[in-house]
Amino acid sequence: MTSPFSTSTEPAATGPVLTVRGELDVATAPRLRARIAELTVTAGQLLVVDLADVTFCDSSGISALIAARNVAEAAKAKVALVAVPARLTRTLTLTGLADFFPTYATAGDAIAAHA
């Protein structure tokens, strides 16, 4: 059974918190990229990407996460991934991308570390 894809954004004192739900794959990654492009991230802020409810992530999904990092860097901001599922953590580690994404257990932890 597939999980429906969705995103939502909440403001935080340090910048936007983008929550991603469902399967992040070749069919849904363009929607995530479009959502990321709509975000307002300014210098010094932190873009938090909450992956707690991501049920699957393929290479297209990882590419969309890299796009989030690129958007943050272009704005002279930072990005953090939170609640990264174990399988995705393993993939990020094996590909060497774990070094590019600070990860935290919760959005609160990421925000506190950035403050």
Side-chain angles (χ1 to χ4, degrees):
M1 182 170 142
T2 62
S3 300
F5 176 82
S6 68
T7 63
S8 61
T9 307
E10 296 292 326
T14 55
V17 177
L18 174 63
T19 301
V20 183
R21 294 176 194 84
E23 294 187 0
L24 184 49
D25 58 21
V26 68
T28 60
R31 290 171 46 198
L32 179 56
R33 283 176 174 267
R35 183 67 190 111
I36 291 164
E38 296 170 356
L39 294 175
T40 301
V41 183
T42 59
Q45 286 191 320
L46 176 68
L47 169 58
V48 175
V49 182
D50 186 336
L51 302 171
D53 294 324
V54 170
T55 56
F56 175 79
C57 183
D58 70 6
S59 60
S60 299
I62 291 171
S63 178
L65 296 175
I66 293 169
R69 181 177 184 267
N70 292 343
V71 164
E73 283 191 344
K76 298 186 179 359
K78 304 241 184 235
V79 67
L81 305 181
V82 302
V84 182
R87 289 183 111 165
L88 182 52
T89 296
R90 179 168 160 69
T91 300
L92 293 173
T93 300
L94 290 172
T95 59
L97 291 172
D99 295 338
F100 294 101
F101 292 105
T103 59
Y104 299 89
T106 68
D109 291 344
I111 291 166
H114 182 73

